[in-house]
Amino acid sequence: MEWSILEQYGPSLLRGFGVTVLCWILGTIFGMALGLVIALVQRYAPRFVGWIVQAYIEVIRGTPFLVQLFVLYYGGPLIGLRLDAIPAGLLGLTLYGSPYFAEIFRAGFRAVPHGQIEAARAIGMAEPTIVRRILLPLGLVSSLPALVNFSIILTKETVILSIITVPELMYQVGRMSAETYRYLEANLVLALFFWVLVEAISRVGRRVETRITKHLIERT
Amino acid sequence: MQASAVEIRKVNKYYGPFHALKDVDLSIPPGKVTCLIGPSGSGKSTLLRCINFLEEYDSGEIRIDGQLIGYETPGRKMSGRKLREMRRSIGMVFQQFNLWPHMTAKENVAEGLIRVRGLSKAEAETRAAEALTKVGLADKMENHPSRMSGGQQQRVAIARAIAMEPRLMLFDEPTSALDPELVGEVLNVMKTLASEGMTMVVVTHEMGFAAHVADQVAFMEKGELVAVDSPQGIFHAPKDQRIQNFLRTYHERNSF
Ligand SMILES: Nc1ncnc2c1ncn2[C@@H]1O[C@H](COP(=O)(O)OP(=O)(O)OP(=O)(O)O)[C@@H](O)[C@H]1O
Ligand SMILES: [Mg+2]
């Protein structure tokens, strides 16, 4: 192995990692937000809106992320949607993650005992208030482990953004391997960076989880 | 004679093809305790939940202090806002307590005062503290439900309901989920409420409570309201065979 090339490629790899983290964070936030909206729509909107949303979910879940990105980036201009690589990548990640996040939230909402919602209705609480004060806090807590889990999966999907030339870590690693033929070193660096990222996310996730479920666990 | 607090007239309720309430008639006198008894599956909970329209009845009328609940006119649904307004003055206590686990006892009680009655946080907390003191939980206000016994949780649930200053309280088997030694503390709170003149409708399997605290007892079976009578009449001189059978089974199960 030949680690000296890292001196030359280190900065661009770090920059790539920065772009990866940025894409991951924003893609996760936007994807979760859209997923939450979808889950709420599925719960409260009239039947036919639910069908439209369901169709969207089927399409996204039924096609590979790679294909979605291609369509978005290369097909987008045909309908006037001309995006730079990073915005296109972010939009792609958001759309791709949203149905999975929606499903997680939906399960989280279902885990809120119906009686606790009824108790709020019984004192005359309005539905939006119930969502804000009871359904969301309790539903999000039970969604948390699955949210963290899927966010970790999303970190790895970010490498696909390289094919639409988003200069993230995979892209830089690819460039380094192509220029130096140091495939092994390049991919070990890639693995190391991802391991650090994933480890950090799961640690933070666990910490948040213990913190906010402190009061929710029955004393036995 | 005073007008009824709740007037139930010819109420029918279906779950799909299943006829859960059959032409039920019942008057709930104000300031009195009405107990609903009957075998499992007879429709007691369904009837109780129709009173605050948590369950929609299909035909007939339920009037709270003269006002029809759930429907504007028979067949035309009431607006959500109006229904919520009516529900404000009807407290409900559930078998499973249904406290909000992410809030402390005090927050559970204050929540409705803040979000529904529009009280300031400070005012709501003062009233929540009063209500919790009343049910004997002055020292548990900052506890989350997960740190309370079932009996304590149910008393918080009662405090949550009475803090809203309801005119009517509905109880659906409030002690059925409790360990036997915790039943008394909840029944005592309910007795206090009754002695203060709260109008109460109580679905219960506690025949002792029904016999000693109720002013009237209604017996249901298979979706029908079979009889309404004084506790004396139901427990000591039941005219209907079905009541006799029910009481016999009850005594057999509880004797040893
Ligand atoms: N949501 C529902 N869908 C279908 N059937 C229902 C529903 N809720 C209740 N039922 C049926 O209606 C009947 C009456 O139920 P209800 O809960 O009112 O009985 P209950 O008298 O309260 O019984 P228990 O003493 O066991 O609580 C039962 O046969 C029950 O199976
Ligand atoms: Mg019941």
Side-chain angles (χ1 to χ4, degrees):
Chain A
M1 288 211 233
E2 184 58 75
W3 291 110
S4 58
I5 50 164
L6 283 187
E7 275 170 37
Q8 187 191 342
Y9 283 92
S12 67
L13 289 174
L14 270 177
R15 238 182 300 119
F17 185 59
V19 174
T20 292
V21 171
L22 181 82
C23 287
W24 171 73
I25 288 179
L26 292 178
T28 302
I29 291 174
F30 295 149
M32 272 191 201
L34 183 55
L36 186 58
V37 170
I38 291 174
L40 286 171
V41 164
Q42 282 181 319
R43 197 178 164 95
Y44 289 103
R47 182 86 47 96
F48 77 95
V49 180
W51 286 335
I52 297 171
V53 170
Q54 194 59 38
Y56 165 80
I57 290 176
E58 302 289 331
V59 168
I60 302 277
R61 280 207 301 204
T63 52
F65 184 39
L66 187 72
V67 174
Q68 292 165 17
L69 269 187
F70 263 125
V71 169
L72 195 66
Y73 191 61
Y74 298 108
L78 299 179
I79 56 159
L81 185 69
R82 222 170 289 275
L83 290 174
D84 287 339
I86 290 184
L90 281 179
L91 181 59
L93 268 181
T94 303
L95 296 181
Y96 171 73
S98 61
Y100 299 97
F101 282 123
E103 203 51 49
I104 291 168
F105 287 126
R106 193 156 77 147
F109 292 159
R110 264 204 307 265
V112 179
H114 189 57
Q116 288 167 20
I117 307 281
E118 282 194 325
R121 288 195 185 128
I123 57 170
M125 202 179 278
E127 215 60 33
T129 314
I130 295 178
V131 169
R132 198 159 46 83
R133 299 289 302 169
I134 296 170
L135 187 73
L136 280 181
L138 292 174
L140 294 189
V141 167
S142 41
S143 306
L144 198 65
L147 288 177
V148 172
N149 189 46
F150 187 70
S151 307
I152 287 173
I153 292 176
L154 265 192
T155 59
K156 289 166 237 169
E157 299 291 347
T158 58
V159 301
I160 295 177
L161 300 185
S162 62
I163 61 132
I164 58 165
T165 70
V166 174
E168 47 69 78
L169 188 59
M170 183 71 209
Y171 181 84
Q172 304 293 3
V173 163
R175 209 164 58 96
M176 173 176 152
S177 349
E179 288 169 12
T180 64
Y181 302 106
R182 292 284 166 201
Y183 293 101
L184 183 62
E185 288 85 345
N187 282 288
L188 281 176
V189 167
L190 183 76
L192 179 71
F193 273 123
F194 271 95
W195 178 75
V196 167
L197 180 59
V198 167
E199 196 54 31
I201 298 167
S202 50
R203 263 166 206 240
V204 170
R206 269 200 299 276
R207 186 165 298 185
V208 172
E209 213 177 297
T210 13
R211 230 188 126 103
I212 65 178
T213 55
K214 197 171 64 190
H215 297 302
L216 299 177
I217 295 161
E218 284 285 337
R219 179 196 54 180
T220 44
Chain B
M1 197 190 121
Q2 231 178 328
S4 300
V6 183
E7 191 66 47
I8 301 171
R9 281 279 157 265
K10 288 213 158 309
V11 162
N12 283 278
K13 163 78 189 168
Y14 294 84
Y15 290 112
F18 179 72
H19 202 169
L21 295 177
K22 301 170 183 165
D23 277 335
V24 173
D25 286 310
L26 179 64
S27 300
I28 310 291
K32 298 282 167 60
V33 177
T34 300
C35 280
L36 272 179
I37 63 168
S40 183
S42 55
K44 308 179 295 293
S45 299
T46 306
L47 181 62
L48 192 77
R49 291 160 54 82
C50 282
I51 295 176
N52 64 357
F53 213 66
L54 274 184
E55 213 70 71
E56 296 177 10
Y57 53 99
D58 298 306
S59 69
E61 292 184 359
I62 297 180
R63 295 187 177 272
I64 316 289
D65 288 326
Q67 196 186 352
L68 191 63
I69 189 160
Y71 297 97
E72 207 58 64
T73 53
R76 215 178 100 232
K77 279 272 186 63
M78 174 177 260
S79 74
R81 169 191 286 271
K82 261 195 169 160
L83 179 59
R84 289 199 297 275
E85 212 152 279
M86 289 190 76
R87 280 176 177 166
R88 276 191 210 187
S89 56
I90 308 174
M92 187 165 208
V93 174
F94 303 82
Q95 184 174 347
Q96 298 302 337
F97 329 136
N98 291 336
L99 294 180
W100 300 307
H102 55 310
M103 301 181 192
T104 63
K106 204 205 285 174
E107 288 165 347
N108 263 279
V109 180
E111 185 68 9
L113 296 171
I114 299 169
R115 312 284 156 189
V116 180
R117 296 272 302 270
L119 267 54
S120 72
K121 188 159 183 268
E123 172 76 351
E125 289 193 343
T126 309
R127 295 217 197 165
E130 284 166 13
L132 285 166
T133 305
K134 189 166 173 199
V135 299
L137 291 174
D139 56 337
K140 300 284 181 207
M141 302 208 202
E142 307 303 333
N143 283 36
H144 279 79
S146 58
R147 298 277 179 280
M148 283 188 271
S149 73
Q152 291 168 342
Q153 290 186 52
Q154 193 59 302
R155 285 186 282 151
V156 174
I158 294 174
R160 175 172 69 178
I162 59 177
M164 299 290 287
E165 299 172 325
R167 285 178 292 179
L168 164 68
M169 287 277 289
L170 310 175
F171 295 83
D172 193 354
E173 299 196 31
T175 59
S176 294
L178 298 177
D179 292 338
E181 74 271 21
L182 301 177
V183 168
E185 62 190 59
V186 171
L187 291 183
N188 283 337
V189 169
M190 292 170 64
K191 282 178 197 159
T192 308
L193 267 185
S195 69
E196 291 169 357
M198 174 65 76
T199 309
M200 293 164 58
V201 185
V202 185
V203 173
T204 187
H205 288 293
E206 291 291 330
M207 294 306 145
F209 180 83
H212 295 118
V213 182
D215 297 287
Q216 68 171 7
V217 177
F219 178 84
M220 294 189 70
E221 193 183 81
K222 297 203 173 99
E224 274 179 72
L225 202 113
V226 175
V228 190
D229 206 341
S230 65
Q232 178 69 25
I234 294 279
F235 293 115
H236 299 295
K239 294 180 200 76
D240 198 289
Q241 184 67 42
R242 290 170 284 185
I243 305 177
Q244 293 168 13
N245 291 343
F246 173 74
L247 291 175
R248 189 170 331 110
T249 322
Y250 178 81
H251 287 309
E252 278 164 12
R253 205 184 314 132
N254 288 279
S255 61
F256 51 84

